[in-house]
Amino acid sequence: MNTYEPPIFEYSAPGKIGVALPELDVPEAALPEELLRDDEMDGLPELTEVEVVRHFTRISQRNYCIDTGPYMLGSCTMKANPKIHEEMARLPGFAFIHPLQDEELAQGALQLMYGLQQLLGEISGFSHVSLQPAAGAQGELTGILVFRAYHLERGDTERVEVLVPDSAHGTNPATAAMAGLRVVEVKTDRRGNVDLDDLKSKLGPRTAGLMLTNPNTLGLFDEHVQEVSRLVHEAGGLMYGDGANFNAILGIVKPGAIGFDLMHYNLHKTFTTPHGGGGPGAGPVGCTDELAPYLPGPVVVKQGERYALHMPEKSIGRVKSFYGNFGMFVRAYTYIRMLGAQGLREVSEIAVLNANYLRVKLQDIYPVAYDRTCMHEVVLKGQIKDAPGIRTLDIAKRLIDYGFHPPTIYFPLTVPEAMMIEPTETETKRNLDLFIAAMRRIAQEAREQPELLREAPTRAPVRRLDEVRAARQPILSYHREAIQALRGDKADPDDVLIRPLGV
Ligand SMILES: *Cc1c(COP(=O)(O)O)cnc(C)c1O
C-alpha cells in the first residue's frame, strides 16, 4: 500500500481496445443530423480489458466493508448480510420482472410485497405498512407529510411545530424543516431520557408531533416513552418513531403498542439488506388505522386469492417511482422468514448483550456517557486519563491501523468526544475481544506514544486527510490538472484530499 500507481486515465493510449465486437451483419444506419455531436469527444480512456479489470479489482480491495471486517458504526447497524438473500434476489422471476408488467403477471412479486407488509406490521404492532420510501430519511419525510395531511384534513392548520430531542439524528430536524414545519428542540435528562419538564413546556396547540428514536441515539431505551406519548397525544400531537434502532427490540417491544402512530424501518439496518455504497436502501413506514388513508402508495392489498396495487384514499401521493426498492424487499422478506419470531428476538438479545459486553470491558478507560445498561450500542467518550491532547478522532484513526472500521464519532452531538459503538449480533466473541484489546492498547499508546495516534492511520491507502480542505475544495472526479495543483510542491503522492480512481 501507499505505492503510487497512475490513475486509469494515464494508462490510456490511442487504439487500445477492451472488447471485440462481432462483424456488422445488418445494414449500417446513419444517425440523424441533430443527434450528432459537433465537438470532438475528449477524455474517454482507451484501455485493454485486463487494465480495466485490475483497476476495479484494486479499488474494491481498498474498500473496507462488512465482508472484510467488523464495522461497529453506531446507529448504522452494519450487520452481516446473509448471502442467501442475494440468491433469492437473483431468482429470475424477481430479478427480471418489469415494473410496468401487468398485475396478473406479477402476482408472485405482489405476494412477496404483501407478505413483507404483513410481517413488518406484525413485528412493530402497526396495522398498515407502505413499502415505498427508499431510505430511513425518506420514511421520515413521508411520516411528517402524513402527520401534516392528517392535521390539515381535520382543519387543524396551526400545528406547525415538530419536537425533536437534542440527541436526535440530523435527518430528524432536516425532515421537519423539509416538510415546511418548525423544529423545536427538546432536552435530554440526566439519565438520557427525554426531559419531561422541558417537553411539557414545549407542547401546545402548535404541536404537530414528536419524532422519537427509541432506543435513542445514546443507546438507551427511554424509560418514560409511554408518558412521553401520552403527553404528546394529550396536546393533540402525533408520535413519530424513528425505527433506525429497531435492532435492539425485535420481538420484545412493539412500537405500535407503546404509543407510536407511525414509524419507519431501515431494511438496510435491521433487516440486513446491504447498506449504501450509493446503492438502494429501503425505509418502509408502518402506521395506525387512523393514519393509513394518508400513506404513500401504491400499497399491496389482497382481494380473495389475488394481490392488487392500491392507492390509499387520501394518500400524500408517491414518494418513489413505481413500488420502492423491490430487490431489498426480497432480501428483507428472506431474512424475516429464515429467522422466524424466535430468531428475530434472539437477534436483539445478542445485539444488546454484545454492546453491553463492550461497555463493561471498556468503561474503565473510556468513560461511558450514561452509566446505565445500554441497548444495542454504547456511547463512550474518547477522554483517556493521563492522555491530554488525544481526541476521539485520533483514537478512531488509530483503530484503522488495527484493522477495524472506526465507530461513529462526535455523534450524538450532546456527548463530548463521543464514540458510538454498535457491534451488532453478527460479531463473534473473538472479534469483540480483539476490538477490546485494540481499544485498550490504543489507550496505552495514547499515554506513552501519543504521536502514534496523531499520525494514524499509517497502514491505510490514504493517511489522515485534511478534512477542512476536503470540504472547502472537494475534487470529486479525476482531473489531472486539479490533482497536480493540489499536490503542489508536496512530493508525496498520497497526500491528496480525494484520491483519483486507481491511485
Ligand atoms: C440511519 C439513521 C437515519 C436515516 O436513515 P437512512 O436510511 O440512512 O436514510 C435516521 N435516524 C437514525 C437514528 C439513524 O441511525
Side-chain angles (χ1 to χ4, degrees):
M1 286 200 230
N2 284 340
T3 52
Y4 177 69
E5 296 152 23
I8 192 159
F9 286 77
E10 292 172 9
Y11 293 133
S12 176
K16 271 203 244 173
I17 195 159
V19 288
L21 296 175
E23 286 289 310
L24 187 66
D25 62 355
V26 291
E28 200 166 334
L31 276 175
E33 190 71 30
E34 70 273 17
L35 295 183
L36 295 178
R37 49 186 306 147
D38 16 78
D39 50 348
E40 273 297 303
M41 192 166 66
D42 177 33
L44 279 186
E46 294 177 67
L47 298 153
T48 66
E49 181 181 278
V50 69
E51 284 171 318
V52 174
V53 169
R54 284 183 187 158
H55 170 70
F56 285 108
T57 305
R58 228 170 19 232
I59 296 174
S60 77
Q61 289 172 338
R62 287 185 179 171
N63 209 2
Y64 191 98
C65 61
I66 194 64
D67 287 342
T68 55
Y71 209 137
M72 307 195 190
L73 199 60
S75 211
C76 296
T77 313
M78 305 296 286
K79 53 166 113 176
N81 307 135
K83 298 304 167 234
I84 181 90
H85 297 6
E86 302 308 312
E87 264 178 68
M88 294 303 108
R90 278 172 182 69
L91 289 175
F94 290 140
F96 299 131
I97 195 164
H98 193 281
L100 292 177
Q101 202 155 318
D102 193 81
E103 267 178 36
E104 288 310 318
L105 298 175
Q107 285 294 303
L110 293 178
Q111 182 180 0
L112 182 136
M113 289 172 66
Y114 181 80
L116 182 60
Q117 287 173 192
Q118 297 293 106
L119 290 169
L120 291 175
E122 170 66 25
I123 298 167
S124 57
F126 289 113
S127 52
H128 292 79
V129 170
S130 171
L131 301 175
Q132 275 245 316
Q138 205 187 17
E140 291 174 37
L141 182 64
T142 300
I144 297 302
L145 291 176
V146 165
F147 282 12
R148 201 185 54 171
Y150 169 85
H151 290 311
L152 289 179
E153 168 88 14
R154 293 154 48 99
D156 223 348
T157 54
E158 299 298 307
R159 296 196 177 271
V160 292
E161 292 179 353
V162 177
L163 275 55
V164 179
D166 56 9
S167 63
H169 194 271
T171 50
N172 292 183
T175 289
M178 267 183 85
L181 302 179
R182 192 168 323 125
V183 181
V184 177
E185 199 173 273
V186 183
K187 292 201 185 86
T188 297
D189 73 11
R190 287 214 320 280
R191 283 183 61 76
N193 300 314
V194 168
D195 184 320
L196 291 178
D197 290 331
D198 194 49
L199 174 67
K200 284 178 201 156
S201 75
K202 285 166 182 171
L203 284 168
R206 299 173 73 75
T207 304
L210 170 78
M211 298 182 83
L212 188 65
T213 313
N214 195 31
N216 64 23
T217 52
L218 299 162
L220 304 173
F221 193 86
D222 196 299
E223 294 162 308
H224 311 129
V225 59
Q226 283 172 295
E227 174 70 357
V228 168
S229 126
R230 192 182 62 77
L231 290 168
V232 170
H233 287 137
E234 256 176 31
L238 295 166
M239 284 284 287
Y240 183 88
D242 177 330
N245 291 341
F246 203 25
N247 207 49
I249 55 171
L250 293 170
I252 299 166
V253 179
K254 293 190 180 195
I258 57 169
F260 288 96
D261 297 291
L262 187 150
M263 173 183 120
H264 79 251
Y265 317 80
N266 303 66
L267 298 191
H268 43 290
K269 295 181 179 173
T270 317
F271 299 100
T272 64
T273 73
H275 266 73
V285 291
C287 71
T288 57
D289 288 341
E290 237 182 342
L291 296 181
Y294 305 95
L295 282 180
V299 295
V300 182
V301 293
K302 194 169 178 193
Q303 299 166 335
E305 288 308 300
R306 245 186 108 256
Y307 298 93
L309 292 165
H310 167 72
M311 203 63 175
E313 307 78 64
K314 302 172 189 167
S315 176
I316 59 162
R318 288 170 179 273
V319 296
K320 176 87 177 70
S321 55
F322 299 112
Y323 318 110
N325 283 327
F326 178 74
M328 296 303 126
F329 306 157
V330 179
R331 291 170 174 88
Y333 182 81
T334 306
Y335 183 67
I336 296 170
R337 292 297 304 270
M338 295 274 295
L339 284 173
Q342 187 56 32
L344 284 178
R345 189 186 167 102
E346 281 170 25
V347 160
S348 289
E349 288 171 348
I350 299 170
V352 171
L353 180 66
N354 281 358
N356 279 288
Y357 183 66
L358 294 186
R359 177 177 64 82
V360 169
K361 294 282 190 177
L362 290 172
Q363 63 187 359
D364 61 322
I365 36 175
Y366 297 99
V368 283
Y370 292 87
D371 191 11
R372 269 173 68 179
T373 304
C374 62
M375 299 299 287
H376 65 312
E377 58 198 356
V378 58
V379 181
L380 303 176
K381 299 190 225 174
Q383 295 165 333
I384 303 166
K385 206 161 156 276
D386 303 323
I390 289 297
R391 306 184 59 216
T392 283
L393 183 70
D394 306 312
I395 299 162
K397 297 296 183 193
R398 189 62 177 155
L399 269 172
I400 298 173
D401 284 338
Y402 284 104
F404 288 97
H405 192 286
T408 296
I409 58 174
Y410 299 108
F411 178 77
L413 304 175
T414 47
V415 176
E417 299 298 319
M419 291 189 290
M420 188 192 210
I421 310 172
E422 181 181 4
T424 82
E425 73 284 1
T426 58
E427 288 312 322
T428 59
K429 178 165 180 298
R430 180 172 182 276
N431 277 342
L432 299 183
D433 286 333
L434 287 172
F435 179 77
I436 291 161
M439 288 292 280
R440 298 193 74 89
R441 177 144 358 140
I442 290 170
Q444 192 183 343
E445 288 172 351
R447 293 187 204 102
E448 294 165 7
Q449 290 170 280
E451 66 286 356
L452 285 179
L453 274 69
R454 283 199 206 96
E455 283 161 16
T458 56
R459 297 178 207 153
V462 281
R463 301 291 295 271
R464 196 171 305 196
L465 304 177
D466 180 341
E467 288 173 14
V468 174
R469 207 164 151 215
R472 301 244 161 94
Q473 273 178 279
I475 299 176
L476 302 175
S477 61
Y478 179 71
H479 296 286
R480 188 192 311 229
E481 298 74 26
I483 300 286
Q484 281 168 345
L486 251 180
R487 281 186 196 141
D489 51 353
K490 290 191 188 149
D492 182 0
D494 293 320
D495 190 23
V496 293
L497 296 183
I498 295 181
R499 314 295 306 274
L501 297 182
V503 176

